[in-house]
Amino acid sequence: MRNSETVRIPVATGGAVTATLFPPETPVAVLVVHSATATPQGFYASFAGYLAEHGIATVTYDYRGTGRSGHPRDHRDLGMRDWISADAPAVAAWAAERFPGLPRLALGHSLGGHVIALGAAGQPAASVIVASHLAAVRAIDSFAERVRVRLMLHVLGPASGRLLGYVPARRLGLGEDLPAAAMAEWGRWARLGNYFFDDPSMRARERTATVTGPVLAVGTSDDPWSTPGQMDALTVHLTGAVVERRTYTPAGAGVPMIGHHGLLRRSVRDTVWPELLAWLQAHAEKASR
């Protein structure tokens, strides 16, 4: 993409992630986009470019073992906790060093929202969580969707991971290919009633309580996974933050459907994106005073 820069960012536990910087001519803030599971950073390029056009330097990246950050087979032992606790902080630290003195912002989509909720985004001045929820399979309203997700997470995904050393998620309709350990951890958490809050090793309640600053949590009325109730089940743990909730409908966004990824697609550039931008700009201005 025009006016973007590819960078390699080392991760303290080994290896590096490939990131893309979208720099404005005169940046007023810097924002890191933390991706959803199996969603390549290229998906966020349009949104990142939009923010850069309005003065917010924006960084996208792929977790190790996904997209441009290495083949999943070569990172087969990396779990989601590694992405959350190592990859995300490395990128947040790099962005802060690259733009010293500027307000630091974050946007997390789905898994990326977990990064923010678990305090792994470097305590930004303000954060936006998009379609991020407690991803327990039993909470999915649709019976057919519950069956489909269980089949992917608990049968096909783990089986292919054991056989191939990675999960061919593209062939399974789950997005980008994934390391075997990441799929296994995703499936294990999804079996639990409160997702990783029921995994003592994650210290989730302790970590979410450390998050401070304003958080805007946005979702949609037609997302089969991240329902308003499941989003609230996540954000209720952000006891040290001021959380604002918004739920968009397809009619309100001017599109036939939104779903789990639609708030970050170009189709809502003229309806949803200006509202997200205005919220980010307002809090960046407050942080810079």
Side-chain angles (χ1 to χ4, degrees):
M1 174 171 282
R2 184 176 63 85
N3 199 32
S4 64
E5 175 187 344
T6 298
V7 295
R8 291 278 286 172
I9 301 174
V11 177
T13 54
V17 301
T18 297
T20 304
L21 169 64
F22 298 80
E25 289 187 10
T26 307
V28 297
V30 57
L31 178 143
V32 175
V33 175
H34 302 283
S35 305
T37 304
T39 303
Q41 63 174 304
F43 173 78
Y44 305 100
S46 293
F47 182 72
Y50 174 82
L51 294 182
E53 289 172 7
H54 293 86
I56 300 177
T58 304
V59 183
T60 63
Y61 69 100
D62 292 312
Y63 303 112
R64 285 174 296 166
T66 69
R68 296 163 60 198
S69 293
H71 194 280
R73 184 186 290 113
D74 299 330
H75 298 81
R76 66 182 66 191
D77 296 327
L78 286 178
M80 284 187 164
R81 70 181 63 220
D82 299 299
W83 295 341
I84 293 169
S85 299
D87 296 28
V91 179
W94 179 89
E97 184 177 345
R98 178 69 179 259
F99 296 94
L102 290 185
R104 292 180 288 114
L105 308 170
L107 181 141
H109 178 208
S110 197
L111 170 66
H114 296 157
V115 167
I116 293 170
L118 290 169
Q123 290 292 6
S127 303
V128 177
I129 291 177
V130 180
S132 190
H133 61 300
L134 290 194
V137 174
R138 71 184 66 177
I140 298 175
D141 290 334
S142 166
F143 174 76
E145 185 66 9
R146 283 201 307 275
V147 172
R148 188 185 77 86
V149 172
R150 282 189 173 126
L151 179 64
M152 297 297 181
L153 293 188
H154 301 146
V155 181
L156 298 179
S160 61
R162 290 190 296 270
L163 179 65
L164 303 173
Y166 75 100
V167 179
R170 291 182 190 175
R171 298 180 188 177
L172 298 177
L174 288 175
E176 288 289 293
D177 296 344
L178 299 170
M183 171 59 80
E185 189 155 60
W186 185 12
R188 185 166 60 252
W189 287 342
R191 291 180 187 273
L192 304 174
N194 294 294
Y195 204 57
F196 49 54
F197 284 96
D198 286 343
D199 179 348
S201 69
M202 286 299 291
R203 300 182 295 107
R205 288 175 177 80
E206 174 187 340
R207 294 167 73 175
T208 51
T210 68
V211 176
T212 59
V215 174
L216 173 63
V218 297
T220 73
S221 62
D222 64 341
D223 189 332
W225 306 326
S226 186
T227 63
Q230 285 303 100
M231 287 197 69
D232 291 342
L234 173 66
T235 59
V236 72
H237 293 281
L238 300 176
T239 55
V242 177
V243 179
E244 179 182 345
R245 282 280 290 110
R246 297 181 190 174
T247 300
Y248 288 93
T249 65
V255 292
M257 62 177 295
I258 307 175
H260 195 59
H261 282 70
L263 291 176
L264 296 167
R265 295 188 190 277
R266 287 183 61 87
S267 57
V268 298
R269 176 188 174 100
D270 297 329
T271 52
V272 175
W273 290 6
E275 295 186 11
L276 300 183
L277 172 66
W279 190 90
L280 289 164
Q281 288 175 323
H283 287 286
E285 184 179 348
K286 288 180 183 179
S288 64
R289 291 173 186 165

